[in-house]
């Protein structure tokens, strides 16, 4: 671009009208230059456009629609045109709805419990399997399998295993001479049972990310620790885990966000019962929308869930930004 | 303080033998440099001494202990790595004290040792910084500090200066040389840089292809290289290698080739008796080539100078002698032709001869 600009300038003395003094082929170039310039400027937007359009259609539109919907009273099965604008009534309702608070409590308990257990188990498994043993890659693959199973199937499998009469656990307990355990029918146990199923499915996620983090640790730092006299566990505790921390933090956040939105497995296992003991927010939203048929209220509920997840993400992004700024400052001190 | 002995050390990766029966004796408090081109097995040897790599065979003795089956931590060693290998999440003080903290030393002693070593290396002001807040040279010092704090009996250095830029490298090299005068320990130092080897080592071990080519003091290796490989590896600019033939004319022993006819010292006559009129490889140090002609004309090297590189006190001439490239070092103060044909001669005592087949020195 710059080259041809200079070229054009030299050939056109001040005051000369474009076209008159310039030979024909160059006049052509001059004529098309503005267009080329414009195209060049537009190029990045053209490249971004497909992604931007898809994001708008698939993400922003439903989100805005849901916000708009949350200000209206709309019953399932009636035309949207007949819905009424009700202002903040839906939000007022949910703040006074004990079921909302109950499901919020269940969701928080569920989400933090699964993340803590999955992180502990996943990191431990990764540390145990981060070595060159025979069949180790086979084990790694086996451990990752649960993550690949569709959540509905996971729900069905665990529902069968938890079954009090003919489930796998019932057989096992009976064979060992224990009384049957009401895995899904006791309000006290149901949430724990649901947590176990989720841990089974999603520990592999933490596991593979931790394993990847472990395998990318600086080899020489680990060798230095060996020479410094660290035992295997001292190395894990003083070197490996601290260095894995950034990856573990991201993996845990991703799991936390996901855990807030979990639906299928719990829907299949307990449908939120007994009582409200396993009714997490997304299930509550589902029931409000399709059982109570209150779409406006359901929209308000899902916006609350969105806010919670958004808040988590913002907190995490802020932490990352703080760390990055610290690192930049550190680099500047050199 | 113990000496280090390596007996018949072997390293195989599957069918590939990297080191095949290496023997090496290092005296107490000696600074030994393993030097050689990449892939010569020097780092593998060091890592086997450290215990980071298992030996496939042979023995490693530190003092009166055979350590080749021991864990690194039980070998009483400290090591400085090429990429420093600092613990990124610990500050400098904690990096340096890690080994002592693991060994549960009393806190007062740990502090005292860290402070003393930090002063020795002038890094006291960096103790609370993280490795990422340090420059390359500072990281290098911290890595050395971490090794020194341990007070181990053997120090291992794995190319510790090769990640630094040229200027910093020569500065750190000088500091290392100073440090080793104050710290009297057994040190094994691996490098591919022959200048580091020459300036730091008491004993230099030149390795090539998993074998020791020659070992000895820096001047031994420079003056009496055992073979063509050592001759070409030690010394900068490297030794010139020309093909020639031994002959005796009028009772005088000389070596001739296209573009040169160099007199040899008379006392070498006996050793060379069997090689008269046979091909030899002639090695000439760039610094032993003198400008002009001898009075009797008995020694002459005719070259065609193509380029003069001015380095400062001396200049390096890139020339051509009978089709072979020759580098010559001349004093920049004395006048020299910077292009075209020129005459040189070589001091008879400084001419190296090698067998063309075995490449061993004659």
């Amino acid at each position: 671009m710059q080259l041809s600009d200079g070229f054009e300038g030299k050939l056109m003395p001040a005051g000369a009208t474009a076209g008159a003094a310039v030979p024909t082929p160059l006049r052509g170039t001059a004529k098309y230059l503005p267009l080329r310039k414009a195209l060049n400027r537009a190029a990045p937007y053209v490249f971004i456009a497909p992604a931007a359009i898809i994001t708008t259609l698939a993400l922003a539109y439903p989100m805005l629609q849901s916000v708009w919907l949350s200000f209206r009273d709309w019953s399932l099965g009636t035309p949207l045109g007949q819905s009424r604008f009700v202002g903040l009534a839906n939000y007022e309702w949910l703040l006074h709805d004990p079921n909302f608070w109950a499901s919020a409590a269940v969701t928080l308990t569920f989400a933090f419990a699964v993340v803590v257990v999955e992180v502990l188990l996943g990191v431990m498994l990764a540390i145990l399997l981060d070595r060159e043993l025979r069949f180790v890659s086979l084990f790694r693959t086996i451990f990752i399998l649960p993550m690949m199973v569709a959540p509905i199937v996971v729900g069905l499998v665990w529902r069968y295993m938890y079954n009090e009469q003919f489930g796998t656990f019932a057989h096992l307990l009976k064979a060992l001479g224990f009384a049957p355990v009401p895995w899904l029918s006791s309000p006290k146990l149901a949430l724990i049972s649901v947590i176990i199923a989720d841990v089974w499915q999603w520990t592999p996620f933490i596991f593979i990310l931790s394993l990847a983090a472990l395998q990318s640790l600086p080899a020489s730092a680990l060798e230095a620790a060996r020479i410094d006299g660290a035992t295997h566990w001292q190395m894990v505790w003083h070197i490996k885990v601290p260095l894995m921390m950034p990856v573990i933090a991201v993996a845990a956040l991703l799991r936390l966000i996901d855990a807030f939105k979990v639906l299928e497995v719990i829907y299949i296992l307990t449908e939120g019962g007994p009582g409200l003991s396993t009714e997490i927010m997304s299930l509550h939203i589902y029931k409000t929308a399709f059982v109570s048929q209150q779409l406006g209220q359901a929209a308000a509920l899902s916006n609350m869930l969105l806010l919670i997840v958004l808040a988590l993400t913002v907190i995490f992004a802020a932490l990352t930004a703080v760390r990055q700024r610290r690192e930049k400052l550190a680099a500047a001190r050199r | 303080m113990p000496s280090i002995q390596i007996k018949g050390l072997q390293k195989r990766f599957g069918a590939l033998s990297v080191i095949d029966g290496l023997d090496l004796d290092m005296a107490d408090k000696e600074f030994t440099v393993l030097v050689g081109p990449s892939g010569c097995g020097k780092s593998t040897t060091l890592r086997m001494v450290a215990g980071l790599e298992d030996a496939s065979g042979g023995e490693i003795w530190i003092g009166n202990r055979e350590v080749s089956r021991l864990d690194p931590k039980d070998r009483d060693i400290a090591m400085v790595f090429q990429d420093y290998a600092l613990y990124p999440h610990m500050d400098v003080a904690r990096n340096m004290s890690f080994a002592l903290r693991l060994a549960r030393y009393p806190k007062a002693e740990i502090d005292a040792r860290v402070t003393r070593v930090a002063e020795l290396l002038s890094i006291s002001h960096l103790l609370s910084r993280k490795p990422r807040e340090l420059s390359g040279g500072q990281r290098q010092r911290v890595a050395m500090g971490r090794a020194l704090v341990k007070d181990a009996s053997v120090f291992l250095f794995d190319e510790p200066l090769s990640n630094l830029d040229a200027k910093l490298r020569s500065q750190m090299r000088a500091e290392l040389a100073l440090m080793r005068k104050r710290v009297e320990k057994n040190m094994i130092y691996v490098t591919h840089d022959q200048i580091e080897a020459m300036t730091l080592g008491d004993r230099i071990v030149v390795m090539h292809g998993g074998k020791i080519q020659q070992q000895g003091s820096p001047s031994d290796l420079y003056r009496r290289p055992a073979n063509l490989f050592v001759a070409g590896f030690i010394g900068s600019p490297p030794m010139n290698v020309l093909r020639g033939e031994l002959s005796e004319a009028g009772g005088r022993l000389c070596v001739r080739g296209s573009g040169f006819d160099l007199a040899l010292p008379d006392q070498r006559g006996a050793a060379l008796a069997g090689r008269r009129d046979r091909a030899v490889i002639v090695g000439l140090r760039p610094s032993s080539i003198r400008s002009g002609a001898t009075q009797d004309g008995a020694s002459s090297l005719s070259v065609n100078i193509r380029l003069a590189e001015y380095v400062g006190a001396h200049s390096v001439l890139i020339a051509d002698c009978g089709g072979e490239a020759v580098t010559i070092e001349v004093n920049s103060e004395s006048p020299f032709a910077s292009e075209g044909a020129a005459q040189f001669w070589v001091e008879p005592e400084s001419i190296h001869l090698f067998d063309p087949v075995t490449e061993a020195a004659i």
Side-chain angles (χ1 to χ4, degrees):
Chain A
M1 258 352 268
Q2 248 179 349
L3 235 175
S4 52
D5 281 356
F7 195 46
E8 185 192 21
K10 247 183 237 163
L11 280 168
M12 279 200 285
T17 31
V22 181
T24 335
L26 271 171
R27 188 174 57 191
T29 325
K31 201 165 128 197
Y32 289 115
L33 262 177
L35 179 64
R36 267 180 61 190
K37 217 177 227 171
L39 274 178
N40 258 351
R41 286 217 187 105
Y45 301 102
V46 173
F47 289 130
I48 293 170
I53 291 168
I54 290 170
T55 308
T56 313
L57 287 179
L59 203 74
Y61 175 75
M63 222 135 92
L64 290 174
Q65 180 81 8
S66 144
V67 170
W68 179 78
L69 199 57
S70 69
F71 296 121
R72 306 188 75 83
D73 177 13
W74 181 31
S75 298
L76 194 67
T78 61
L80 183 55
Q82 281 180 18
S83 64
R84 265 179 328 116
F85 177 76
V86 292
L88 290 170
N90 287 332
Y91 289 96
E92 211 186 316
W93 161 80
L94 75 87
L95 289 180
H96 291 103
D97 175 22
N99 291 359
F100 165 71
W101 293 108
S103 75
V106 170
T107 308
L108 284 173
T109 315
F110 174 82
F112 283 98
V114 298
V115 169
V116 168
V117 177
E118 284 165 16
V119 166
L120 287 178
L121 281 180
V123 172
M124 267 160 50
L125 269 179
I127 287 167
L128 287 176
L129 287 183
D130 175 35
R131 59 188 71 189
E132 292 314 314
L133 287 178
R134 230 207 277 225
F135 305 125
V136 91
S137 62
L138 178 74
F139 279 122
R140 285 177 198 156
T141 314
I142 289 173
F143 279 120
I144 295 167
L145 276 178
M147 213 172 72
M148 304 181 193
V149 181
I152 298 280
V153 178
V154 173
L156 288 170
V157 168
W158 280 88
R159 192 167 150 176
Y160 173 74
M161 293 204 295
Y162 279 140
N163 188 291
E164 274 173 59
Q165 276 110 52
F166 47 82
T168 316
F169 294 133
H171 279 303
L172 266 175
L173 288 173
K174 203 174 162 191
L176 293 170
F178 288 103
V181 174
W183 293 105
L184 296 174
S185 54
S186 143
K188 278 183 198 153
L189 269 182
L191 187 59
I192 294 174
S193 304
V194 164
I195 287 171
I196 291 173
D198 191 88
V199 166
W200 176 83
Q201 186 173 23
W202 290 109
T203 298
F205 178 76
I206 305 280
F207 165 69
I208 43 172
L209 288 185
S210 302
L211 194 64
L214 271 173
Q215 289 175 346
S216 64
L217 292 186
S220 60
L222 298 177
E223 290 179 342
R226 274 178 76 192
I227 289 181
D228 271 350
T231 61
H232 181 74
W233 289 109
Q234 283 173 325
M235 210 134 88
V236 166
W237 189 245
H238 293 294
I239 311 286
K240 289 185 178 177
V241 170
L243 291 181
M244 286 164 73
M245 232 36 206
V247 174
I248 296 176
V250 173
L253 181 85
L254 289 176
R255 275 306 301 139
L256 197 61
I257 290 173
D258 242 25
F260 272 98
K261 302 186 298 183
V262 71
L263 173 71
E264 302 96 319
V265 175
I266 299 183
Y267 180 76
I268 303 279
L269 277 178
T270 64
E271 277 186 77
L276 293 177
S277 61
T278 59
E279 184 159 304
I280 43 136
M281 271 179 85
S282 51
L283 205 53
H284 188 46
I285 294 168
Y286 172 82
K287 284 182 177 173
T288 309
F290 299 107
V291 180
S292 316
Q293 310 206 335
Q294 292 304 318
L295 293 177
Q297 290 179 350
L301 274 170
S302 55
N303 289 340
M304 293 303 284
L305 182 59
L306 178 68
L307 277 181
I308 295 173
V309 175
L310 203 64
L312 280 172
T313 316
V314 167
I315 290 170
F316 182 78
L319 286 178
T320 315
V322 166
R323 206 180 57 211
Q324 272 170 356
R325 214 177 45 224
R326 255 207 333 245
E327 257 162 41
K328 240 182 224 164
L329 282 177
R333 273 175 69 189
R334 270 180 214 165
Chain B
M1 286 291 169
S3 60
I4 304 169
Q5 274 185 306
I6 295 174
K7 294 179 189 165
L9 192 65
Q10 294 181 337
K11 181 67 189 177
R12 285 185 298 272
F13 294 103
L16 180 75
S17 174
V18 181
I19 288 164
D20 190 16
L22 185 124
D23 296 293
L24 193 56
D25 275 8
M26 288 163 260
D28 186 20
K29 292 175 192 164
E30 197 173 37
F31 196 116
T32 308
V33 180
L34 305 183
V35 64
S38 48
C40 71
K42 57 192 191 298
S43 275
T44 310
T45 305
L46 188 80
R47 291 170 59 82
M48 284 194 282
V49 174
L52 297 172
E53 206 81 67
D54 291 330
S56 313
E59 295 175 358
I60 300 166
W61 289 78
I62 296 178
N64 50 10
R65 287 195 308 157
E66 208 281 297
V67 299
S68 67
R69 298 281 174 274
L70 295 182
D71 258 6
K73 63 180 162 64
D74 300 322
R75 297 190 183 198
D76 196 18
I77 51 169
M79 184 158 171
V80 178
F81 291 81
Q82 177 174 3
D83 62 355
Y84 322 128
L86 299 176
Y87 310 122
H89 57 296
M90 299 183 196
D91 63 24
V92 169
R94 292 178 66 77
N95 256 288
M96 287 169 66
S97 62
F98 187 61
L100 302 184
R101 284 186 282 128
L102 289 179
R104 303 195 178 280
Y105 275 69
K107 195 179 176 312
E109 165 145 23
I110 294 178
D111 289 348
R113 281 212 206 175
V114 169
T115 311
R116 199 181 63 230
V117 171
E119 273 166 20
L120 180 77
L121 295 168
S122 342
I123 49 172
S124 304
H125 60 297
L126 303 175
L127 284 177
S128 59
R129 294 213 193 158
K130 291 271 178 71
R132 61 166 181 270
E133 299 170 58
L134 304 175
S135 67
Q138 289 170 333
R139 285 179 207 190
Q140 186 55 64
R141 266 169 229 243
V142 174
M144 267 173 219
R146 186 173 63 182
L148 284 174
V149 161
K150 272 186 81 179
D151 202 29
S153 58
V154 180
F155 276 72
L156 307 174
F157 298 87
D158 188 7
E159 308 221 14
L161 303 184
S162 56
N163 277 15
L164 301 175
D165 62 61
K167 197 177 162 199
L168 204 51
R169 196 181 311 158
S170 63
Q171 187 190 332
M172 288 302 290
R173 199 171 62 216
E175 284 189 27
L176 250 174
L178 279 175
M179 189 196 84
R180 66 144 310 208
K181 280 188 180 168
R182 276 175 291 188
V183 184
E184 293 206 315
K185 303 273 186 189
N186 292 303
M187 301 197 184
I188 307 181
Y189 187 105
V190 162
T191 180
H192 62 264
D193 180 356
Q194 56 98 11
I195 297 180
E196 268 172 42
M198 298 289 275
T199 50
L200 290 169
D202 295 325
R203 175 207 298 271
I204 299 180
V205 179
V206 181
M207 292 182 67
H208 182 49
K211 290 201 168 61
I212 294 177
Q213 301 293 317
Q214 188 178 3
Q215 50 175 312
S217 71
S219 64
D220 272 352
L221 297 195
Y222 185 78
R223 291 208 202 123
R224 288 180 292 278
N227 58 36
L228 198 56
F229 177 81
V230 176
F233 195 80
I234 300 289
S236 166
M239 183 184 275
N240 296 300
V241 176
L242 299 170
R243 298 196 164 272
E245 193 174 88
L246 270 181
S247 62
E248 200 172 353
R252 300 192 52 143
L253 198 59
C254 61
V255 58
R256 285 180 181 153
S258 83
F260 63 92
D261 184 344
L262 304 170
L264 291 170
D266 293 335
Q267 62 266 32
R268 295 187 75 168
L272 297 172
R275 293 179 182 269
R276 230 148 276 175
D277 303 321
R278 300 253 297 269
V280 285
I281 293 177
V282 188
L284 305 173
R285 295 259 177 228
S287 55
S288 65
I289 303 175
R290 306 266 178 265
S291 176
T294 47
Q295 278 190 339
D296 56 359
S299 187
S300 78
L301 182 75
S302 317
V303 302
N304 190 16
I305 300 170
R306 289 200 297 223
L307 183 70
E309 290 178 336
Y310 178 79
V311 190
H314 64 265
S315 296
V316 176
L317 307 179
I318 313 286
D320 181 293
C321 173
E324 305 253 21
V326 169
T327 53
I328 301 168
E329 225 171 57
V330 293
N331 191 327
S332 293
E333 302 300 316
S334 61
F336 59 87
S338 62
E339 236 183 280
Q343 276 299 320
F344 290 86
W345 62 283
V346 184
E347 308 216 12
E349 287 74 23
S350 65
I351 295 172
H352 299 270
L353 296 174
F354 303 95
D355 186 293
V357 180
T358 64
E359 299 195 344
I362 304 169

